[in-house]
Amino acid sequence: MIKLVSLVLILTLNFSCTDTREGEGSEPVSLVTTDSLKFTSAIRAIFQDSKGNYWIGSHNEGVSLYNGKAFVYFTTNQGLSDNQIRSIQEDKDGKIWFGTAKGISVYHKGKFTNYPSKNNNPIVDWNKTKGDLWFYAWEEDGINRFDGINMNYLIFPKPESKNSDRSYGVTGMSKGQDGRLWIATYSALFSYDGKTVNVFDAKKLNLKDNQQLHIRSVLADSKGRIWIGNNGIGVLLMEGNSTFNFSEKNHLIDPTSTRRGDHKSPPGTLEHPFAMEEDSEGNIWFGDVYTGAWRYDGKAFTNYSVSNKPMIWTIYKDHKGQLLFGTADGKIFKFNGKTFEKYF
């Protein structure tokens, strides 16, 4: 871990910002540090880098770096594209990448470099690009892929689907053990194996006529199963050649539900899973907007209350294998085996 004094000194003296569209830097800006996490808006992203530091992305307050002793905060004042952080990644060179609501930012050696939400040269053939860094491209028709030099905007092969809102903003990504990338969008699920892009629309996912596809999360687990979190109709499970409504099968859908994600669900239901993750023991966890955390151990479900605000924005597995849950009230919790306790 980097010592706090050294970290703050390095960041304050060497900090600058550049933008790939303009290439202009900014004057160094002093950074705010605290001894506890001070976010009040939702935690939307959590990431532990190769040095063990935690990066915590908020809904509208930027990002915080926790080095084991204190929290350092970055916002648009320090060069971020936007203060809403939707994803955090690290590349092979140790650069930290942030997908924000208004662009992509990369942090390296005290400097932010920003990329636009999408470029003006969309690419249809995904195989003409390479790279393992993928980013949300806003409420558009594709996804961004960074090849080490350029940010490439790749177009989705959109399906003809009646049971969707026809918006292809990326809401989640998960890579399977076979290397296949699964990309969740509101109106379809896509997979890419490095050669072919496959499309899973409402018909392929076996939705009923009264159900609307509105995907908010996806998880490729260690057994090769694909879990799909759909706002309003709960969890869909793709297992082999079979896809079915997992929430419905386990009686976790309110009988009076409109199944369109437009109402508050009562306790005991799993209809709005915005986050999913697999723990070290193979249990599958779901974070619901209204009913908190759910654990499925392969046989039965257990529902947990995590915080005063039940919505769980993100679930992240750190280097120790422990799951961290980011909530709507700006807090992070971990599960101690029986209950949830505040982390950090």
Side-chain angles (χ1 to χ4, degrees):
M1 294 291 183
I2 305 172
K3 291 184 178 180
L4 175 61
V5 175
S6 300
L7 176 66
V8 174
L9 181 62
I10 291 171
L11 293 176
T12 303
L13 294 180
N14 296 333
F15 195 89
S16 64
C17 167
T18 61
D19 192 306
T20 59
R21 291 164 289 184
E22 299 176 358
E24 297 178 354
S26 66
E27 294 298 322
V29 179
S30 296
L31 299 172
V32 175
T33 63
T34 62
D35 58 2
S36 60
L37 185 62
K38 297 299 183 183
F39 286 147
T40 57
S41 62
I43 304 298
R44 295 194 61 153
I46 305 170
F47 179 77
Q48 188 176 22
D49 66 24
S50 57
K51 296 179 181 178
N53 302 307
Y54 288 93
W55 297 84
I56 303 162
S58 72
H59 182 60
N60 58 31
E61 299 169 273
V63 67
S64 180
L65 166 62
Y66 179 64
N67 73 333
K69 295 182 178 180
F71 297 83
V72 182
Y73 297 86
F74 303 89
T75 67
T76 53
N77 292 333
Q78 285 78 39
L80 273 172
S81 294
D82 189 75
N83 286 334
Q84 184 177 112
I85 309 299
R86 299 189 175 184
S87 67
I88 308 174
Q89 305 173 67
E90 182 178 13
D91 67 18
K92 59 182 178 60
D93 298 319
K95 299 177 182 178
I96 307 299
W97 293 79
F98 306 95
T100 81
K102 294 182 180 178
I104 300 160
S105 298
V106 56
Y107 176 80
H108 186 57
K109 294 182 178 179
K111 181 176 69 174
F112 276 106
T113 301
N114 295 326
Y115 295 82
S117 57
K118 66 186 181 79
N119 60 42
N120 296 320
N121 299 301
I123 298 172
V124 175
D125 185 358
W126 291 28
N127 295 329
K128 291 183 178 180
T129 65
K130 59 182 180 179
D132 294 325
L133 293 176
W134 300 81
F135 302 93
Y136 171 75
W138 294 257
E139 314 307 322
E140 299 289 346
D141 299 329
I143 189 169
N144 287 306
R145 185 185 195 183
F146 187 68
D147 63 11
I149 299 176
N150 299 307
M151 190 68 66
N152 298 294
Y153 178 54
L154 311 182
I155 297 296
F156 288 128
K158 294 183 294 184
E160 291 293 332
S161 180
K162 296 180 180 179
N163 292 24
S164 73
D165 60 11
R166 296 184 180 276
S167 173
Y168 294 90
V170 175
T171 55
M173 288 179 275
S174 182
K175 182 171 286 190
Q177 292 189 334
D178 59 358
R180 186 186 301 266
L181 179 68
W182 293 87
I183 305 167
T185 76
Y186 294 111
S187 296
L189 178 70
F190 299 89
S191 71
Y192 180 58
D193 61 4
K195 296 180 180 180
T196 305
V197 182
N198 290 303
V199 187
F200 300 86
D201 59 6
K203 183 178 180 180
K204 286 188 177 181
L205 294 175
N206 293 329
L207 263 65
K208 299 176 182 177
D209 290 339
N210 67 331
Q211 298 176 339
Q212 179 172 325
L213 197 61
H214 189 93
I215 303 174
R216 294 306 305 251
S217 55
V218 62
L219 171 66
D221 73 11
S222 60
K223 297 180 180 180
R225 299 173 298 184
I226 309 301
W227 302 85
I228 305 159
N230 197 97
N231 187 31
I233 59 173
V235 179
L236 307 177
L237 177 58
M238 186 185 301
E239 193 169 15
N241 296 321
S242 173
T243 301
F244 60 95
N245 191 313
F246 193 73
S247 289
E248 187 173 59
K249 182 178 180 180
N250 288 278
H251 311 292
L252 297 175
I253 301 291
D254 179 15
T256 65
S257 171
T258 63
R259 299 179 183 241
R260 300 183 65 85
D262 55 1
H263 78 294
K264 181 178 180 179
S265 297
T269 60
L270 179 53
E271 299 178 351
H272 309 269
F274 274 41
M276 299 187 290
E277 186 55 271
E278 181 178 12
D279 68 20
S280 300
E281 298 177 352
N283 301 309
I284 306 299
W285 288 83
F286 309 95
D288 190 89
V289 173
Y290 299 108
T291 60
W294 291 80
R295 180 179 65 177
Y296 176 65
D297 64 5
K299 296 181 180 179
F301 282 90
T302 306
N303 187 202
Y304 301 89
S305 176
V306 179
S307 71
N308 293 330
K309 292 186 178 181
M311 181 176 184
I312 297 172
W313 272 105
T314 185
I315 307 173
Y316 175 74
K317 185 191 299 184
D318 70 6
H319 294 177
K320 295 180 181 179
Q322 60 186 357
L323 295 190
L324 303 181
F325 297 74
T327 62
D329 51 359
K331 297 179 177 62
I332 296 175
F333 293 84
K334 72 172 183 178
F335 185 64
N336 62 17
K338 295 182 179 179
T339 61
F340 283 83
E341 58 186 34
K342 190 176 178 181
Y343 201 53
F344 301 125

